[in-house]
Amino acid sequence: MRCFLLLTVLLWPSLWLGAAPADAAALFEQGNIHAAQGDWQAARASYEAALTAAASPGLYYNLALACEELADPGAAILAYERALALDPSHSASRHNLHLLRANQNLPASPATELPAYLRVLSPRLWPWLAAAAFWLSLGALLLRRLTRWPYLLPLSALGILLLAGCGLAWMQTHRLFATVVVTAEAPLRVAPTTESPAHFTLRPGEVLRLRQLREDYLLVDSPSGASGYLLPTEAARIWE
Amino acid sequence: MRHLFPYLLFIATALVSSPALAQAVDIQAYISPNPLPVNRSGTYTVIVQTTSPISGGERPEVPGLSFANPQQVSNATYNSTTRSLVGQYRLSWSVTADAEGTFDIPSWTLQTAEGPLAVPAVSLTVGPPDRSLAEFFRLRLELPSGPVYVGQMIPARLSVLVVSGAEIGLRSGLERRGEAFLETPRSDSIRGRESFAGRNYDTYTYEFFVTPIRSGTHPLAYHLDISYRDPRPGRGSAVEGLRLETNNPPLNVLPLPEAGRPPSFSDAVGEFSMETSVSGTDLRVGEPLTLTLEISGQGNLDRLSAPALEETNGWRVYPPKATLESNDPARFRGSKRFEYILVPENEFLTRLPPVRFSYFNPHDQRYEEITSELPEVAVRPAAEGSALAQAYAPSALPALATPASPSGRRPLQTYASAWQSPPRPAFKNPAFLATNALVATAFATVLLWRRQQKRLRATLSSTTTHYRSRSRQAEQQALTAARAGERPAFFANALTALQFETVLALDLSRPPGSLHSSELLAALASIDLPPELRQGLEDLLSAADHARYGGQGSGNPDLSALATLLTRLLRTLRQASA
């Protein structure tokens, strides 16, 4: 039993963190060199290649800058949103995203409106914390049958509270990181066919709520409340 | 009478000539001593006798000669013959030559009410320095060893050493030769005593800081003109002048190195530390915040300029207020505080502008840079409808409202932050699923193990109850058989009762009925039975074996005694099993 617990403790961080892949770091550096030379196309290619190996807030941020330089605001906004999805406290991404959305006459991003207490942790960490709280409270309840330690019940109650809090936080943050329009023109179709008339055309960088994911179309809700269909190439999910 | 004649002649001559003398002007000029050693100071004296006061005049400057300590003494006598006042004016200066040679003080003019008066020219011969007094009077400059850099405040001590018992006076103040240095006083003159080369000296020490302002090799020398009475025996009591000079070699001042100079460097030289504090971290847009930097240490604190804040986008920064706190008159040690007022212009700010302060450490001969450790801030929007909310509305912010303003954008990041997998919901993350599965498995294992243990304990409990019941039942039957005199039934039931109780007492895993008499005896050897009971047990088992295997004819044991023995044995075994 002890070995089992020890194994769990040892495996936990290795499963979660993972080592920084050398090729990703090298591609990131290479992208920075291209960017410093003003070759933004090559820089973007390097950053995108690095993303196939690993991700980081800094990498998404630099990719967003490259996309901005290449006049691709949709991809830039998507990259900024992904940087914030990994690290909601990444102030440079928050700042540039705010500027870019203002320049594109887009409303403020939901990600930039996150309250400060929800920026403490990455949205991906809330489920982990919730799971830890769940197992903690369950473990405390089980231990009560084995030992008479008086703090087990309060510990269990604390775990349940933590579980509820983390669950709420995760729900609140996760729904913000939805789908972003990445192409210059994306008609919001009434029906899932190319011949379908469109409600209107979405602008690059608009954040949509994904209702359904099909093989050939995405059913989304626009900020104005209209639902419609987009091609998978026209929008990308912030959370992959 | 003959003795009085010369006096009478002098008085008569004086009386005759006095009206003429009263109207004449007499003017003399001389330097004493002449010749003069180069390190000694002489006195340039002009004596004027006139009936009208001196109203002005300008002594000419002579290259190579320095004049100091000007003095004017005048007195007057009443001439009853001419019925006028005759004045004598004595003007004097301490004069010192920089080098050997002949120096001419040209004729110059003094102004009086009766007209200008010409001061005659004087020639001064300056000879080699007089070293004979060096052992009595000295001027010493002490500087620390090691390289010296531009802007570095170097502690220095300048001491006047006067042999004990000698008297000196100052003819001029301390003068420095060396335009490449600045001086900062550190303390008042300190008086002390010192023994040096077999003589005792009174010392007058002046501590100060010297700051080089130019790189290169530059002389740094001081001199002081004193008056003294020669302390050597037989030299009389005349007051003479002497110039004391330091003889340090020129200082090699190094420029601050270009290599490794941080961009934030602003001429701070010394050893410093920096502490930062902020007035609050939870604020609203438009609310001012005070960021305080306190730079402490030693060095040119007085000349420290405020470090520039970096990445101030989104912050309105006002010029800082500087306060220097130091108990040191030279302001070499202490702290300098800079208070910046910052106003957040939008609610997306989470970090304060970083501050970097760098300085050159002359001891380690390298630049050091300190980066501020500032807390994160939370900026909330200004209260709705307030003046701040209108002033800081996004449309009112030039940085945010100007489209495509590259300067408003944060620059490229050179570090990638923490590497991780792309953003993906946790329920799609294999690590999350695996970890939770692992923990769930662990919990399930614990639960199953607990359940199995419980079941085992329940089984064991029911077996015990059954065995105990069977033992009691056999005991009762044995006692009944004993009373009835039925030997086979008695022995069979007695053996059964003993088998069950032995299994219970020793927690044996064998079926009770499989235990033979010898095995029972061997097993019960581990139980501490009284000797008579152990003997009785052996007798009982032996009788049982006889009854079992020997038939009706094998002896006639006392059943009631054996029944009593059985009861005692079973009671002892039950106590042992409990």
Side-chain angles (χ1 to χ4, degrees):
Chain A
M1 183 64 187
R2 282 181 187 173
C3 291
F4 183 78
L5 288 175
L6 188 65
L7 190 67
T8 307
V9 169
L10 289 175
L11 279 177
W12 186 295
S14 64
L15 282 170
W16 165 239
L17 290 174
D23 49 350
L27 286 165
F28 176 75
E29 294 294 332
Q30 194 182 342
N32 285 353
I33 292 167
H34 288 310
Q37 292 166 346
D39 188 354
W40 290 101
Q41 196 68 52
R44 179 177 180 171
S46 295
Y47 295 141
E48 285 175 342
L51 277 169
T52 58
S56 85
L59 178 56
Y60 276 122
Y61 171 78
N62 284 6
L63 172 64
L65 281 176
C67 294
E68 266 198 84
E69 291 290 337
L70 295 169
D72 189 352
I77 287 174
L78 176 68
Y80 281 134
E81 295 275 7
R82 284 182 172 166
L84 287 170
L86 289 181
D87 179 9
S89 65
H90 199 264
S91 61
S93 291
R94 183 177 304 281
H95 179 84
N96 286 6
L97 178 59
H98 185 86
L99 278 180
L100 182 56
R101 295 188 74 89
N103 289 343
Q104 298 295 316
N105 291 320
L106 290 170
S109 162
T112 59
E113 291 176 344
L114 268 183
Y117 64 89
L118 288 177
R119 292 185 219 152
V120 174
L121 286 180
S122 163
R124 64 197 308 182
L125 282 179
W126 291 115
W128 284 90
L129 201 55
F134 170 74
W135 294 120
L136 174 77
S137 53
L138 189 64
L141 283 175
L142 285 178
L143 275 175
R144 281 193 72 220
R145 312 185 81 174
L146 299 176
T147 173
R148 292 185 179 182
W149 194 49
Y151 300 108
L152 284 173
L153 196 60
L155 195 65
S156 174
L158 185 71
I160 290 168
L161 279 177
L162 196 61
L163 170 65
C166 294
L168 287 173
W170 177 74
M171 285 170 68
Q172 199 164 355
T173 53
H174 186 259
R175 71 182 171 80
L176 298 180
F177 298 101
T179 304
V180 176
V181 178
V182 291
T183 52
E185 286 191 354
L188 186 66
R189 297 171 186 84
V190 175
T193 61
T194 50
E195 292 78 24
S196 164
H199 292 291
F200 46 81
T201 302
L202 294 164
R203 285 171 296 171
E206 281 200 76
V207 177
L208 313 166
R209 193 171 75 84
L210 181 67
R211 284 177 58 188
Q212 198 178 349
L213 179 64
R214 297 184 178 184
E215 282 185 5
D216 48 353
Y217 278 94
L218 308 173
L219 176 59
V220 295
D221 292 337
S222 75
S224 62
S227 297
Y229 293 90
L230 289 176
L231 288 169
T233 52
E234 291 169 337
R237 283 182 296 162
I238 298 168
W239 291 79
E240 292 177 352
Chain B
M1 192 63 189
R2 273 194 309 183
H3 296 293
L4 292 174
F5 180 74
Y7 298 102
L8 291 172
L9 183 63
F10 173 76
I11 292 166
T13 308
L15 288 171
V16 170
S17 61
S18 59
L21 281 173
Q23 297 300 324
V25 175
D26 185 16
I27 184 161
Q28 302 171 38
Y30 59 90
I31 294 175
S32 173
N34 195 354
L36 180 71
V38 74
N39 64 332
R40 300 270 298 273
S41 58
T43 308
Y44 172 51
T45 310
V46 175
I47 299 173
V48 185
Q49 280 185 328
T50 176
T51 52
S52 47
I54 293 172
S55 57
E58 194 169 342
R59 177 184 46 74
E61 292 296 332
V62 180
L65 289 185
S66 49
F67 295 86
N69 196 26
Q71 288 185 352
Q72 180 175 335
V73 180
S74 61
N75 53 46
T77 54
Y78 180 72
N79 189 327
S80 59
T81 309
T82 60
R83 295 182 179 178
S84 61
L85 281 172
V86 177
Q88 187 185 65
Y89 295 88
R90 185 187 183 91
L91 311 176
S92 66
W93 291 266
S94 170
V95 58
T96 317
D98 292 338
E100 296 174 37
T102 302
F103 299 88
D104 292 319
I105 304 174
S107 176
W108 53 290
T109 304
L110 279 174
Q111 299 296 333
T112 68
E114 293 173 354
L117 296 176
V119 179
V122 181
S123 180
L124 171 66
T125 304
V126 178
D130 180 4
R131 304 282 183 203
S132 62
L133 292 166
E135 59 180 302
F136 301 105
F137 310 105
R138 284 170 178 271
L139 185 64
R140 185 178 65 198
L141 174 63
E142 294 170 87
L143 293 169
S145 58
V148 174
Y149 289 90
V150 171
Q152 179 184 356
M153 289 181 78
I154 308 159
R157 283 165 61 91
L158 191 65
S159 304
V160 181
L161 285 82
V162 179
V163 72
S164 292
E167 293 176 23
I168 65 161
L170 291 181
R171 285 196 163 185
S172 69
L174 193 64
E175 287 192 27
R176 170 169 53 87
R177 190 155 50 86
E179 301 302 319
F181 302 92
L182 293 178
E183 233 174 67
T184 314
R186 191 176 178 187
S187 68
D188 293 333
S189 174
I190 305 163
R191 191 168 178 179
R193 279 179 176 274
E194 191 177 317
S195 290
F196 180 74
R199 289 185 182 275
N200 293 323
Y201 292 89
D202 294 326
T203 58
Y204 305 88
T205 302
Y206 166 57
E207 292 181 328
F208 58 99
F209 286 98
V210 174
T211 309
I213 55 173
R214 281 200 290 274
S215 60
T217 303
H218 301 287
L220 176 63
Y222 288 84
H223 65 252
L224 179 69
D225 291 330
I226 62 166
S227 57
Y228 69 97
R229 290 181 200 280
D230 199 327
R232 291 171 288 189
R235 294 299 178 104
S237 59
V239 175
E240 295 186 56
L242 179 67
R243 169 164 285 189
L244 302 181
E245 286 183 307
T246 57
N247 57 354
N248 297 60
L251 266 180
N252 182 22
V253 180
L254 301 171
L256 294 177
E258 293 285 341
R261 182 180 295 182
S264 59
F265 179 68
S266 60
D267 295 337
V269 180
E271 290 174 54
F272 302 100
S273 61
M274 182 173 77
E275 283 185 9
T276 53
S277 60
V278 290
S279 58
T281 55
D282 188 9
L283 57 160
R284 285 182 180 274
V285 170
E287 275 183 1
L289 167 148
T290 306
L291 167 64
T292 306
L293 306 185
E294 187 162 351
I295 297 171
S296 309
Q298 55 181 37
N300 53 357
L301 276 172
D302 213 7
R303 290 187 277 276
L304 283 189
S305 53
L309 302 188
E310 299 174 2
E311 299 176 29
T312 55
N313 280 338
W315 293 94
R316 184 172 294 174
V317 183
Y318 291 91
K321 175 188 161 194
T323 318
L324 178 59
E325 288 180 4
S326 175
N327 295 324
D328 186 352
R331 298 184 166 190
F332 178 67
R333 286 190 182 83
S335 62
K336 197 162 191 177
R337 182 180 298 164
F338 299 99
E339 290 179 351
Y340 299 78
I341 304 293
L342 306 174
V343 180
E345 293 181 331
N346 63 65
E347 66 270 31
F348 309 109
L349 298 165
T350 55
R351 288 172 192 166
L352 285 161
V355 190
R356 285 191 177 83
F357 168 69
S358 58
Y359 61 94
F360 181 74
N361 186 332
H363 291 113
D364 297 343
Q365 300 179 39
R366 63 188 171 93
Y367 291 96
E368 309 271 1
E369 187 170 56
I370 310 172
T371 306
S372 59
E373 291 177 2
L374 295 170
E376 293 214 337
V377 292
V379 183
R380 287 174 290 153
E384 252 179 65
S386 68
L388 285 176
Q390 289 170 11
Y392 290 94
S395 59
L397 296 177
L400 298 179
T402 309
S405 164
S407 60
R409 215 172 57 190
R410 297 277 170 85
L412 206 69
Q413 204 165 292
T414 52
Y415 53 95
S417 317
W419 288 104
Q420 45 197 291
S421 56
R424 186 179 296 147
F427 58 84
K428 288 187 180 175
N429 185 344
F432 180 79
L433 298 175
T435 306
N436 282 291
L438 209 62
V439 178
T441 309
F443 271 92
T445 308
V446 172
L447 281 175
L448 286 174
W449 177 73
R450 286 272 304 153
R451 178 171 291 185
Q452 194 178 359
Q453 290 292 314
K454 200 172 176 180
R455 192 172 291 168
L456 278 173
R457 273 200 299 274
T459 308
L460 192 63
S461 174
S462 72
T463 307
T464 305
T465 309
H466 172 67
Y467 282 9
R468 181 66 32 85
S469 164
R470 284 280 293 117
S471 159
R472 289 190 187 284
Q473 190 184 356
E475 183 188 1
Q476 287 302 320
Q477 287 172 355
L479 294 177
T480 307
R483 278 195 293 273
E486 296 172 1
R487 282 197 308 146
F490 169 77
F491 286 117
N493 284 306
L495 188 61
T496 302
L498 282 172
Q499 284 168 331
F500 277 94
E501 285 300 339
T502 304
V503 167
L504 284 175
L506 299 177
D507 199 13
L508 300 177
S509 57
R510 287 183 57 181
S514 66
L515 289 172
H516 300 294
S517 300
S518 56
E519 289 170 332
L520 274 176
L521 272 175
L524 290 174
S526 61
I527 294 180
D528 189 21
L529 292 174
E532 71 276 9
L533 268 185
R534 186 169 296 283
Q535 186 57 50
L537 176 66
E538 286 176 13
D539 294 344
L540 177 63
L541 291 175
S542 172
D545 283 343
H546 276 93
R548 188 175 178 184
Y549 301 111
Q552 293 291 329
S554 57
N556 190 18
D558 182 1
L559 286 184
S560 68
L562 286 175
T564 307
L565 178 66
L566 177 67
T567 305
R568 282 185 64 198
L569 268 171
L570 289 174
R571 194 184 302 138
T572 307
L573 288 175
R574 280 173 194 142
Q575 284 169 357
S577 66

